Amino acid sequence: MTALARLREYVREIEEISAAAALAAWDQRTHMPEKGAEARAKVLGRLERLAFERVVSDRMGELLAAAEAEGPSSEVDRALVRVWKRNYTRHRAIPPDLYQRFVETTARAEHAWEKAKAASDFALFRPRLAEVLDLVREIARLIGYTESPYDALVEEYEPGMTASRLRAILDPLRRELVAFLGELERGRAPAVLPRGTYPLDRQRELCQKALTWIGYDFAAGRLDTSVHPFTVGVGPGDVRVTNRYREEDPFSALFGALHEGGHALYGQGVDSSLAWTGLSGGASFGIHESQSRFWENQIGRSLAFWRFAHPHLVRHFPHLAQTKPEDVWRHVNRVERSLIRVEADEVTYNLHICLRFELELELVEGRLGVDELPARWNEAMEEYLGVTPPDDARGVLQDVHWSGGMFGYFPSYALGNLYAAQLTSAAEREVPTFWGHVERGEFGPIREWLREKVHRHGQVYLPEELCRRVTGEGLSAEAFLGYVRRKYGQVYGV
Ligand code: CO
């Protein structure tokens, strides 16, 4: 047996353990009875530990060295070695004791964050956040970096990305968006839809339909309800989505379904030869998010989509019968200076991310102390979005990420928006009558294009390499800026 074949076999073990963990975690968030929580936490902890021990084992080191010496000949084999060597090296850099401390500290910090958010009091969270930040900086030091400790952290989510590259892209994007936001305010406000309630079962039916439209395979997945929508790949032929529903607003669930559906199409579209290799996830968090944003925003918030979807919406919610497709399109493309990232529109969303990126970069590089964080947050909100949070809950405490030690994660959201716009431009060039298909509700050709260009490759290419192969250029904010200027200029008549 070749060294590569032995590596594949060993990796398969890890992947199968992780699949069991994914299934247990999905169940925990969808169907598990309350009293099962404690036992489930133990089971999940055990499974994750079994997988982790293999990733950092001496045996993994030997197999990787042997596979490298043998010289992987195919693109897939080279990616296999690259991805597992990265996992191995990054995790081996962190001593088990320190990792254990990180797991415990972030668990405590998450708990403290929940309480602090409920009480809207940053002081309750501050000492825990300081502990997490110390550990994160120590971990970055151990992993190693050349320019910024942030580089060691962002690499986890976006291979090849650095703080300086993010700055070069996000700083100009922020300035353009702040100016554009001012311009929009001189335009006319979009339509308001008649009030009404939206029965949850009808919303669920519509979401189910929307997933079918875009080609989500229900024989290889399912739709359930959870507090926060998510997508999970349990294994080949099993990629599940969840959603949530609000009686007063059908669009939150509908766009949630398109968003998670986009993630799920990626998972369902990966080539079957990549199953159990560890290459069947996305190229990066940013690329994964580009797939969700593509269906949610580029398609789902387009006028062409609403020309197709409007009759379906009316059939489910008859009190909207007097509206026109254009009204709904305007309604779902309102822009607001808002406090909360997860409720933000396409124009302001990236500003929320720019703020978080800058602040977490300053924290990680030691240029900002935890004590000064709330004041700095509010200042930046005023500068970028023109609003000041009235309290910590709607300000610095709104996101869970930092309590979990996930520094370097936020930029993925912005990168997803940028990549999605770049992919749309490429698809408009390459898929004949792209918008005609959307208007007729024929999403097959578009999905197949994405499958061929993006999905089937899984993690074989690095994110920017993939972007270059598909669009002919690396990561750039140009396509996104052109897109928001065009669409929102039209919505607001500026
Ligand atoms: Co997402």
Side-chain angles (χ1 to χ4, degrees), residues 194-211:
R195 281 188 182 282
T197 55
Y198 300 85
L200 300 191
D201 51 337
R202 297 230 190 106
Q203 288 198 42
R204 236 173 263 127
E205 278 165 32
L206 184 63
C207 289
Q208 186 118 8
K209 250 191 195 172
L211 285 168

Side-chain angles (χ1 to χ4, degrees), residues 259-260 263 288-289 292 413:
H259 182 103
E260 299 309 323
H263 282 303
H288 229 302
E289 195 65 8
S292 56
Y413 294 120

Side-chain angles (χ1 to χ4, degrees), residues 47-66:
L47 289 171
E48 271 155 24
R49 195 187 165 123
L50 287 174
F52 183 80
E53 281 169 358
R54 281 164 175 75
V55 173
V56 298
S57 66
D58 294 341
R59 176 153 169 74
M60 178 61 94
E62 288 156 23
L63 287 170
L64 282 169

Side-chain angles (χ1 to χ4, degrees), residues 225-238:
T225 301
S226 63
V227 180
H228 300 290
F230 67 95
T231 302
V232 60
V234 174
D238 192 350

Side-chain angles (χ1 to χ4, degrees), residues 26 29-30 224-230 241-245:
W26 167 82
R29 294 162 75 182
T30 51
D224 291 271
T225 301
S226 63
V227 180
H228 300 290
F230 67 95
V241 293
T242 71
N243 205 359
R244 68 170 160 202
Y245 308 88

Side-chain angles (χ1 to χ4, degrees), residues 272-452:
S272 58
S273 67
L274 298 180
W276 306 119
T277 61
L279 300 177
S280 61
S284 70
F285 282 65
I287 297 286
H288 229 302
E289 195 65 8
S290 78
Q291 295 309 295
S292 56
R293 294 303 198 180
F294 179 90
W295 291 103
E296 177 193 358
N297 290 339
Q298 298 286 338
I299 301 291
R301 284 189 161 86
S302 69
L303 184 53
F305 178 83
W306 283 104
R307 287 192 175 128
F308 154 71
H310 186 259
H312 296 275
L313 184 75
V314 171
R315 203 168 310 138
H316 282 71
F317 309 113
H319 74 277
L320 296 176
Q322 300 309 314
T323 64
K324 293 192 292 291
E326 285 77 9
D327 299 329
V328 176
W329 173 66
R330 285 176 187 286
H331 177 83
V332 300
N333 284 299
R334 288 169 328 237
V335 176
E336 263 161 11
R337 298 177 182 273
S338 64
L339 296 167
I340 309 294
R341 172 183 63 87
V342 295
E343 293 165 9
D345 53 80
E346 283 183 282
V347 176
T348 57
Y349 190 94
N350 285 335
L351 292 172
H352 289 273
I353 297 303
C354 290
L355 175 149
R356 285 156 180 76
F357 163 62
E358 285 164 35
L359 267 54
E360 67 179 13
L361 181 61
E362 290 174 20
L363 286 168
V364 167
E365 290 186 342
R367 290 182 284 124
L368 175 68
V370 167
D371 290 339
E372 308 135 84
L373 182 60
R376 179 80 177 78
W377 179 288
N378 292 352
E379 235 175 64
M381 280 298 289
E382 188 56 52
E383 195 187 334
Y384 302 165
L385 284 139
V387 287
T388 301
D391 49 46
D392 292 340
R394 281 174 282 181
V396 68
L397 288 175
Q398 66 184 266
D399 302 301
V400 67
H401 303 59
W402 288 340
S403 73
M406 293 165 81
F407 289 81
Y409 185 106
F410 281 122
S412 317
Y413 294 120
L415 299 183
N417 292 330
L418 304 189
Y419 280 136
Q422 289 182 273
L423 288 171
T424 305
S425 310
E428 283 171 340
R429 289 194 300 270
E430 291 185 16
V431 180
T433 65
F434 180 93
W435 290 109
H437 283 304
V438 176
E439 212 168 307
R440 291 187 296 275
E442 302 162 357
F443 301 107
I446 297 168
R447 183 189 62 252
E448 287 312 310
W449 183 85
L450 283 173
R451 179 159 293 178
E452 171 64 25

